Every structure is written in C-alpha cells, then in structure tokens.
Amino acid sequence: MKRDEVLRSLNELYAEEVEAALRYLHLAVTLAPQDRDAHRAEFLEGVQETLEHAQVIADKLSDLGGVPRLR
C-alpha cells in the first residue's frame, strides 16, 4: 500500500471516529428524561472512547507526515 493510500485510509478512519463521537454526544443530550439516568453515562463513555481512538489515528497521521482531516 502506498503512503498516500495509507494517509487516505487513516483520514477516513479519523473522520469516522469524530463522527461517532458526535453521534454519541447527540444521543446523550437528546435522551428522554425517563431514560437519562439509565443511559447517559454509557453514551458519554462512548464519546470519550471514540475521541481517544481519533487521537491515536491523528497521531499516526502526523507521524507519517499527514494532516488529520474531517473530509
């Protein structure tokens, strides 16, 4: 696999992780009041986990001389 292909694939993964974090956040803040106590913590944990994944991917992109992009 060529360097450009690796960077493109990593950027796709990076964007997917950031999008997943936003989806978890959206779910956490739009829960019905009766569901908040039971599920909000799970969704917020999902936010944190996916942002950690995004950070690892962004670091790998930088290490390879790439720039993390959200396209």
Side-chain angles (χ1 to χ4, degrees):
M1 188 178 267
K2 294 180 181 179
R3 180 179 171 277
D4 288 345
E5 293 170 346
V6 171
L7 293 176
R8 187 172 27 259
S9 292
L10 286 172
N11 264 310
E12 287 174 11
L13 289 172
Y14 174 72
E16 288 172 9
E17 291 293 337
V18 172
E19 181 182 353
L22 290 173
R23 287 178 186 222
Y24 277 123
L25 179 61
H26 179 74
L27 289 169
V29 301
T30 59
L31 284 168
Q34 66 270 19
D35 296 327
R36 280 190 194 131
D37 291 338
H39 301 290
R40 180 173 272 180
E42 292 175 54
F43 289 130
L44 293 177
E45 285 176 28
V47 171
Q48 186 61 38
E49 185 178 317
T50 55
L51 288 176
E52 288 170 5
H53 294 167
Q55 182 64 58
V56 168
I57 296 165
D59 289 343
K60 292 198 179 292
L61 278 159
S62 295
D63 291 346
L64 293 171
V67 176
R69 302 194 191 286
L70 293 175
R71 299 190 240 146

